[in-house]
Amino acid sequence: MCLLALTALLPGLSMAALAAGDCAAGPGTARVLEVDPAGLEVGTKHFPQTLDLAEGEFVLTFDDGPSAGTTPMVLKALAAGCVRATFFLVGTRAAESPALVKRILAEGHGIGYHSQTHPMTLADLPYDKAVRDIERGIASVDRAAYGTATASPHFPFFRFPGFGSSPQLLAYVAGRNMGVFGADLWASDWEPMTPEVELELVLTRMAHAGRGIVLFHDTRLQTARMVPALLKAMKERGYRIVHVVARGVATAATPQ
Ligand SMILES: [Zn+2]
């Protein structure tokens, strides 16, 4: 409890990093960006607009987990680099690995929802069925994180599988007070490739984009193996990591 409280006061540090005592393996978390989830729709692969990021600033996001085999590898690398990310969790997987969901939270990362069964896509389902899948996903993640699911979602963000939204579903999610994340670039890590090739690909895209929300899958072994080298490369290039939270969540001790 004490360590958790301490971590909450030091947003740039995870529990593991506190234990390790340094952040040499990565660029750290440069700043926390507070957003109002109401009506938030960001990420140019899905929407016309994105987050207000400066040149060289990136938000790291990981989808489809948690996965017992690979998510701990990603968490370890993020902790070693004092990097905070956002994990968009699939409900069925959260239900299978509640301890990992709690660990993601305890290590200072953000959580968002990514539906219960990851239909491709929610927009292709009948509306009622899509809403049911969204709601079951919220309840599964909340139960995994806190033991209970209440009327309001615990977490402020949602990402549509395959970015498959409809105006009706976007209105529904907004009505549940969740902001919607798309992405600005990705590692194409659903394609099989070596960690080295994936690293090269995503660094090229980061250099080209200059800033943005980056989408990875912590369920992919090639990505889990790549993250340590990615954080090292981001540090060398002077890139800065931005951690996005809902307004009012960040403490006064925002890292500089
Ligand atoms: Zn997904």
Side-chain angles (χ1 to χ4, degrees):
M1 209 51 218
C2 247
L3 256 183
L4 279 177
L6 182 58
T7 306
L9 291 172
L10 299 168
L13 298 172
S14 69
M15 286 173 70
L18 282 170
D22 67 59
C23 304
T29 301
R31 70 181 176 106
V32 172
L33 173 60
E34 291 192 7
V35 296
D36 184 353
L40 183 82
E41 296 179 344
V42 289
T44 50
K45 296 282 192 188
H46 191 170
F47 301 110
Q49 65 283 327
T50 192
L51 292 167
D52 188 15
L53 298 172
E55 183 71 21
E57 287 189 335
F58 293 93
V59 175
L60 302 189
T61 66
F62 293 88
D63 284 9
D64 294 5
S67 168
T70 48
T71 303
M73 296 167 67
V74 172
L75 288 172
K76 187 180 172 196
L78 295 175
C82 298
V83 167
R84 290 189 167 204
T86 303
F87 290 77
F88 289 89
L89 305 180
V90 169
T92 53
R93 291 205 165 122
E96 282 166 12
S97 303
L100 266 180
V101 177
K102 292 181 179 77
R103 181 175 162 191
I104 289 168
L105 271 183
E107 296 191 2
H109 304 293
I111 283 181
Y113 306 102
H114 195 48
S115 82
Q116 172 75 353
T117 64
H118 205 278
M120 287 297 268
T121 67
L122 285 165
D124 295 319
L125 295 180
Y127 175 78
D128 289 353
K129 214 173 168 192
V131 164
R132 210 155 46 237
D133 203 276
I134 291 169
E135 287 298 332
R136 287 173 63 215
I138 292 168
S140 292
V141 170
D142 286 357
R143 269 197 297 270
Y146 296 110
T148 57
T150 57
S152 303
H154 274 289
F155 302 105
F157 302 133
F158 186 85
R159 181 180 261 156
F160 283 86
F163 300 163
S165 65
S166 65
Q168 220 184 352
L169 288 174
L170 284 170
Y172 181 83
V173 169
R176 296 290 271 143
N177 301 313
M178 294 182 287
V180 180
F181 269 65
D184 296 303
L185 62 154
W186 47 55
S188 296
D189 59 359
W190 51 89
E191 308 274 4
M193 64 185 103
T194 66
E196 292 76 21
V197 170
E198 186 178 323
L199 176 66
E200 211 45 52
L201 177 68
V202 77
L203 284 174
T204 302
R205 288 177 178 172
M206 288 170 109
H208 184 253
R211 69 190 80 185
I213 304 164
V214 194
L215 185 160
F216 301 96
H217 293 85
D218 55 305
T219 51
R220 299 286 293 161
L221 184 59
Q222 67 199 39
T223 293
R225 285 186 171 148
M226 181 212 62
V227 171
L230 172 71
L231 298 183
K232 186 166 175 276
M234 289 184 74
K235 186 176 185 176
E236 285 165 4
R237 284 160 174 74
Y239 291 157
R240 292 179 306 284
I241 303 279
V242 176
H243 186 218
V244 184
V245 301
R247 189 154 290 150
V249 170
T251 68
T254 299
Q256 298 305 304

PDB file of all heavy atoms in Angstrom, residues 63-64 88 90 114 118 120 159-162 217, ligand 1:
ATOM      1  N   ASP A  63      -2.050  -2.955 -27.428  1.00  0.00           N
ATOM      2  CA  ASP A  63      -3.396  -3.502 -27.557  1.00  0.00           C
ATOM      3  C   ASP A  63      -3.437  -5.015 -27.371  1.00  0.00           C
ATOM      4  O   ASP A  63      -2.438  -5.713 -27.580  1.00  0.00           O
ATOM      5  CB  ASP A  63      -3.950  -3.215 -28.963  1.00  0.00           C
ATOM      6  CG  ASP A  63      -4.396  -1.774 -29.126  1.00  0.00           C
ATOM      7  OD1 ASP A  63      -4.122  -0.944 -28.228  1.00  0.00           O
ATOM      8  OD2 ASP A  63      -5.007  -1.466 -30.165  1.00  0.00           O
ATOM      9  N   ASP A  64      -4.638  -5.488 -27.053  1.00  0.00           N
ATOM     10  CA  ASP A  64      -5.064  -6.897 -27.129  1.00  0.00           C
ATOM     11  C   ASP A  64      -4.658  -7.761 -25.943  1.00  0.00           C
ATOM     12  O   ASP A  64      -5.039  -8.924 -25.893  1.00  0.00           O
ATOM     13  CB  ASP A  64      -4.565  -7.584 -28.414  1.00  0.00           C
ATOM     14  CG  ASP A  64      -5.201  -7.012 -29.672  1.00  0.00           C
ATOM     15  OD1 ASP A  64      -5.949  -6.019 -29.563  1.00  0.00           O
ATOM     16  OD2 ASP A  64      -4.930  -7.550 -30.763  1.00  0.00           O
ATOM     17  N   PHE A  88      -4.607  -1.106 -23.930  1.00  0.00           N
ATOM     18  CA  PHE A  88      -6.019  -1.297 -24.266  1.00  0.00           C
ATOM     19  C   PHE A  88      -6.322  -2.797 -24.205  1.00  0.00           C
ATOM     20  O   PHE A  88      -5.862  -3.575 -25.044  1.00  0.00           O
ATOM     21  CB  PHE A  88      -6.318  -0.697 -25.647  1.00  0.00           C
ATOM     22  CG  PHE A  88      -6.275   0.811 -25.635  1.00  0.00           C
ATOM     23  CD1 PHE A  88      -5.087   1.484 -25.878  1.00  0.00           C
ATOM     24  CD2 PHE A  88      -7.415   1.542 -25.323  1.00  0.00           C
ATOM     25  CE1 PHE A  88      -5.036   2.880 -25.827  1.00  0.00           C
ATOM     26  CE2 PHE A  88      -7.372   2.934 -25.271  1.00  0.00           C
ATOM     27  CZ  PHE A  88      -6.178   3.598 -25.522  1.00  0.00           C
ATOM     28  N   VAL A  90      -8.307  -6.475 -23.799  1.00  0.00           N
ATOM     29  CA  VAL A  90      -9.442  -7.279 -24.253  1.00  0.00           C
ATOM     30  C   VAL A  90     -10.050  -7.966 -23.024  1.00  0.00           C
ATOM     31  O   VAL A  90      -9.331  -8.559 -22.208  1.00  0.00           O
ATOM     32  CB  VAL A  90      -8.967  -8.309 -25.294  1.00  0.00           C
ATOM     33  CG1 VAL A  90     -10.065  -9.340 -25.571  1.00  0.00           C
ATOM     34  CG2 VAL A  90      -8.560  -7.604 -26.588  1.00  0.00           C
ATOM     35  N   HIS A 114     -10.930  -2.388 -24.865  1.00  0.00           N
ATOM     36  CA  HIS A 114     -10.754  -2.747 -26.283  1.00  0.00           C
ATOM     37  C   HIS A 114     -11.758  -3.838 -26.667  1.00  0.00           C
ATOM     38  O   HIS A 114     -11.456  -4.677 -27.490  1.00  0.00           O
ATOM     39  CB  HIS A 114      -9.296  -3.195 -26.475  1.00  0.00           C
ATOM     40  CG  HIS A 114      -8.817  -3.271 -27.888  1.00  0.00           C
ATOM     41  ND1 HIS A 114      -9.009  -2.272 -28.821  1.00  0.00           N
ATOM     42  CD2 HIS A 114      -8.106  -4.241 -28.542  1.00  0.00           C
ATOM     43  CE1 HIS A 114      -8.439  -2.630 -29.978  1.00  0.00           C
ATOM     44  NE2 HIS A 114      -7.900  -3.821 -29.831  1.00  0.00           N
ATOM     45  N   HIS A 118     -13.055  -8.762 -29.036  1.00  0.00           N
ATOM     46  CA  HIS A 118     -12.298  -8.240 -30.175  1.00  0.00           C
ATOM     47  C   HIS A 118     -12.925  -8.614 -31.525  1.00  0.00           C
ATOM     48  O   HIS A 118     -12.255  -9.162 -32.416  1.00  0.00           O
ATOM     49  CB  HIS A 118     -10.845  -8.754 -30.121  1.00  0.00           C
ATOM     50  CG  HIS A 118      -9.867  -7.863 -30.834  1.00  0.00           C
ATOM     51  ND1 HIS A 118      -9.669  -7.907 -32.197  1.00  0.00           N
ATOM     52  CD2 HIS A 118      -9.049  -6.899 -30.382  1.00  0.00           C
ATOM     53  CE1 HIS A 118      -8.758  -7.016 -32.545  1.00  0.00           C
ATOM     54  NE2 HIS A 118      -8.370  -6.379 -31.453  1.00  0.00           N
ATOM     55  N   MET A 120     -13.981  -8.169 -35.309  1.00  0.00           N
ATOM     56  CA  MET A 120     -13.439  -7.368 -36.416  1.00  0.00           C
ATOM     57  C   MET A 120     -14.543  -7.178 -37.458  1.00  0.00           C
ATOM     58  O   MET A 120     -14.661  -7.953 -38.373  1.00  0.00           O
ATOM     59  CB  MET A 120     -12.221  -8.044 -37.024  1.00  0.00           C
ATOM     60  CG  MET A 120     -10.990  -7.969 -36.147  1.00  0.00           C
ATOM     61  SD  MET A 120     -10.364  -6.293 -35.835  1.00  0.00           S
ATOM     62  CE  MET A 120      -9.186  -6.159 -37.169  1.00  0.00           C
ATOM     63  N   ARG A 159     -10.605   1.932 -27.246  1.00  0.00           N
ATOM     64  CA  ARG A 159     -10.102   1.864 -28.623  1.00  0.00           C
ATOM     65  C   ARG A 159     -10.893   0.775 -29.363  1.00  0.00           C
ATOM     66  O   ARG A 159     -11.013  -0.340 -28.864  1.00  0.00           O
ATOM     67  CB  ARG A 159      -8.606   1.557 -28.646  1.00  0.00           C
ATOM     68  CG  ARG A 159      -8.011   1.502 -30.053  1.00  0.00           C
ATOM     69  CD  ARG A 159      -6.516   1.183 -30.027  1.00  0.00           C
ATOM     70  NE  ARG A 159      -5.684   2.373 -30.154  1.00  0.00           N
ATOM     71  CZ  ARG A 159      -4.428   2.440 -29.713  1.00  0.00           C
ATOM     72  NH1 ARG A 159      -3.889   1.410 -29.088  1.00  0.00           N
ATOM     73  NH2 ARG A 159      -3.706   3.527 -29.889  1.00  0.00           N
ATOM     74  N   PHE A 160     -11.426   1.126 -30.529  1.00  0.00           N
ATOM     75  CA  PHE A 160     -12.185   0.165 -31.323  1.00  0.00           C
ATOM     76  C   PHE A 160     -11.231  -0.828 -31.997  1.00  0.00           C
ATOM     77  O   PHE A 160     -10.267  -0.399 -32.647  1.00  0.00           O
ATOM     78  CB  PHE A 160     -12.991   0.898 -32.413  1.00  0.00           C
ATOM     79  CG  PHE A 160     -14.225   1.575 -31.906  1.00  0.00           C
ATOM     80  CD1 PHE A 160     -14.162   2.865 -31.391  1.00  0.00           C
ATOM     81  CD2 PHE A 160     -15.457   0.930 -31.950  1.00  0.00           C
ATOM     82  CE1 PHE A 160     -15.306   3.498 -30.918  1.00  0.00           C
ATOM     83  CE2 PHE A 160     -16.605   1.560 -31.481  1.00  0.00           C
ATOM     84  CZ  PHE A 160     -16.535   2.845 -30.965  1.00  0.00           C
ATOM     85  N   PRO A 161     -11.493  -2.147 -31.878  1.00  0.00           N
ATOM     86  CA  PRO A 161     -10.701  -3.121 -32.625  1.00  0.00           C
ATOM     87  C   PRO A 161     -10.718  -2.782 -34.118  1.00  0.00           C
ATOM     88  O   PRO A 161     -11.788  -2.531 -34.689  1.00  0.00           O
ATOM     89  CB  PRO A 161     -11.422  -4.446 -32.349  1.00  0.00           C
ATOM     90  CG  PRO A 161     -12.086  -4.250 -31.033  1.00  0.00           C
ATOM     91  CD  PRO A 161     -12.500  -2.799 -31.023  1.00  0.00           C
ATOM     92  N   GLY A 162      -9.535  -2.760 -34.713  1.00  0.00           N
ATOM     93  CA  GLY A 162      -9.440  -2.435 -36.137  1.00  0.00           C
ATOM     94  C   GLY A 162      -9.957  -1.047 -36.480  1.00  0.00           C
ATOM     95  O   GLY A 162     -10.191  -0.758 -37.661  1.00  0.00           O
ATOM     96  N   HIS A 217       1.238  -4.250 -30.145  1.00  0.00           N
ATOM     97  CA  HIS A 217       0.476  -5.326 -29.506  1.00  0.00           C
ATOM     98  C   HIS A 217       1.402  -6.043 -28.518  1.00  0.00           C
ATOM     99  O   HIS A 217       2.389  -6.647 -28.942  1.00  0.00           O
ATOM    100  CB  HIS A 217      -0.050  -6.305 -30.557  1.00  0.00           C
ATOM    101  CG  HIS A 217      -1.083  -5.682 -31.467  1.00  0.00           C
ATOM    102  ND1 HIS A 217      -0.737  -4.962 -32.594  1.00  0.00           N
ATOM    103  CD2 HIS A 217      -2.437  -5.643 -31.375  1.00  0.00           C
ATOM    104  CE1 HIS A 217      -1.855  -4.523 -33.169  1.00  0.00           C
ATOM    105  NE2 HIS A 217      -2.895  -4.917 -32.461  1.00  0.00           N
TER     106      HIS A 217
HETATM  107 ZN    ZN B   1      -6.858  -5.060 -31.177  1.00  0.00          ZN
END
